[in-house]
Amino acid sequence: MERMFLMRKKQKRFRGIHAETFLLGGKPIIGDYIPWIKSKKMEKRLIECQIKRDSFMQYLIEEQRRKILETDCCVEKKKNLIQVLLSLQQNEPEYYTDDIIKGLILVLLLAGTDTSSTTMEWALSLLLNHPEVLEKAQIEIDEHVGHDRLMDEADLAHLPYLRSILNETLRMYPPAPMLVPRESSEECLVGGFRIPRGTMLSVNMWAIQNDPKIWPDPRKFRPERFDNPEGARDGFKLMPFGYGRRSCPGEGLALRVVGLALGSLIQCFEWQIDGDKMVDMTEGTGFTIPKAQPLEVTCRPRPSMLRHLCEI
């Protein structure tokens, strides 16, 4: 009972830090571009948030460090990520410092989880507002995977329509609409404007992927536009993960994890909106694009998949 209480306490603490991080990160900080109007109040909030994050990550490290010391070294046991990194720290302490480990954990917890869950929420919202697309995706999964097993990662390569749904969701609601800031290494011209060396730059990926000059009817959910998914990359039209050497290193993992999770939800459940209203697609504010109104929906197991769900 005590262990569960401590777990919930950690979860609550992390959720608070998570929410504050993305709330502050989503606000444009004009002082970064015009130093003489920098807000001391905002700077203080950012510093306080960083102290909270750092303290929590250090707490997780110390917790796992104690567990390693308390565990019998002769007993073979599967290690979690922090324990693996701490074991590497013993051999290469100059590289696997606590700060490096905290940075890796932070990237996985913040960048990896929020963007994936937000993308899935948008995808389900779009599917519920377009039941014909949801039905088509369900038929594709039923025909390829069947009802005798749950779908797995290997099935994704044979589900092109599911991938089109994911691409269209990422086009309409990119998880990082402004990507991450860049700095020009040399003076250059962008759109006819001279950009001095060392200038901080942000790419408005949302505007590119919703530009009517590039995408016909950009605010309409049409997965069929990705029947040839490779063509969307031509001319830098679709870049939800960025592009080139500085693109998101987690792109491949994200597409597999979100694709498998979304496909499994489609395969295993029937989804229904409460009432006759459409899902509210209003966008919220933040570093990512959260929904202004969280998705609330009713689901029930599909009869053909009930046996598999009971075995989980």
Side-chain angles (χ1 to χ4, degrees):
M1 194 71 178
E2 183 181 357
R3 185 179 177 183
M4 186 176 293
F5 173 76
L6 291 174
M7 181 66 72
R8 288 179 177 173
K9 189 176 179 180
K10 282 191 291 186
Q11 290 173 349
K12 184 178 180 180
R13 184 179 173 188
F14 173 72
R15 287 196 185 102
I17 294 170
H18 177 279
E20 187 176 8
T21 296
F22 280 88
L23 177 64
L24 294 175
K27 294 182 178 180
I29 303 176
I30 306 301
D32 286 344
Y33 302 90
I34 310 175
W36 57 85
I37 62 170
K38 184 173 288 188
S39 168
K40 293 292 184 181
K41 183 178 179 181
M42 175 59 74
E43 189 174 357
K44 182 182 178 182
R45 289 185 66 188
L46 288 168
I47 292 172
E48 290 174 349
C49 184
Q50 168 57 20
I51 291 172
K52 290 178 189 176
R53 281 198 306 264
D54 188 80
S55 174
F56 180 71
M57 296 303 156
Q58 190 65 48
Y59 167 78
L60 294 180
I61 290 174
E62 297 301 336
E63 181 184 48
Q64 296 305 316
R65 191 172 273 143
R66 286 194 301 271
K67 286 184 179 180
I68 291 173
L69 293 174
E70 294 168 0
T71 303
D72 186 351
C73 61
C74 299
V75 177
E76 286 291 332
K77 186 181 178 183
K78 189 177 290 186
K79 297 179 180 178
N80 60 39
L81 176 63
I82 298 178
Q83 290 173 346
V84 170
L85 292 171
L86 288 174
S87 65
L88 292 171
Q89 188 183 68
Q90 295 176 1
N91 298 322
E92 300 180 76
E94 71 284 353
Y95 180 75
Y96 290 98
T97 64
D98 281 6
D99 284 340
I100 291 292
I101 294 174
K102 283 185 284 188
L104 292 170
I105 300 168
L106 198 62
V107 167
L108 289 171
L109 290 178
L110 294 184
T113 57
D114 183 85
T115 51
S116 298
S117 61
T118 300
T119 299
M120 286 184 58
E121 187 176 22
W122 281 117
L124 277 174
S125 299
L126 288 165
L127 289 172
L128 287 165
N129 281 346
H130 298 81
E132 72 286 355
V133 176
L134 176 58
E135 182 181 4
K136 188 174 178 179
Q138 213 163 49
I139 290 172
E140 179 187 61
I141 294 172
D142 288 346
E143 289 179 349
H144 174 74
V145 181
H147 303 288
D148 297 328
R149 64 179 177 87
L150 297 174
M151 69 173 288
D152 57 36
E153 184 183 331
D155 295 312
L156 293 175
H158 307 286
L159 300 170
Y161 194 64
L162 177 63
R163 178 61 183 269
S164 295
I165 291 170
L166 187 53
N167 278 333
E168 180 71 339
T169 302
L170 290 169
R171 180 193 69 78
M172 296 180 71
Y173 303 99
M178 299 295 289
L179 296 183
V180 293
R182 301 291 198 272
E183 184 176 301
S184 54
S185 56
E186 298 292 341
E187 182 175 316
C188 58
L189 286 174
V190 177
F193 293 92
R194 184 182 72 87
I195 307 298
R197 178 180 179 177
T199 303
M200 190 182 297
L201 303 167
S202 294
V203 177
N204 192 337
M205 189 47 53
W206 187 96
I208 293 172
Q209 295 183 171
N210 287 272
D211 188 345
K213 296 178 183 177
I214 301 173
W215 302 92
D217 297 321
R219 298 313 295 164
K220 288 188 177 180
F221 180 58
R222 288 169 42 196
E224 290 76 15
R225 69 173 92 230
F226 289 100
D227 286 343
N228 178 20
E230 295 303 321
R233 288 279 185 171
D234 296 341
F236 305 100
K237 296 189 295 183
L238 181 71
M239 299 181 289
F241 297 93
Y243 203 86
R245 291 185 300 168
R246 299 294 182 266
S247 63
C248 175
E251 176 177 359
L253 176 63
L255 291 174
R256 285 173 173 80
V257 169
V258 176
L260 179 58
L262 181 63
S264 299
L265 292 175
I266 294 172
Q267 180 193 24
C268 295
F269 298 96
E270 299 286 354
W271 299 88
Q272 185 177 0
I273 306 170
D274 294 333
D276 298 327
K277 294 182 179 180
M278 300 280 281
V279 175
D280 186 350
M281 303 300 286
T282 305
E283 300 171 7
T285 59
F287 180 76
T288 56
I289 302 185
K291 291 179 90 280
Q293 297 296 327
L295 176 63
E296 294 184 3
V297 64
T298 301
C299 70
R300 64 175 183 273
R302 298 177 70 193
S304 58
M305 301 304 298
L306 188 58
R307 176 172 60 87
H308 300 292
L309 291 171
C310 290
E311 293 172 355
I312 295 177

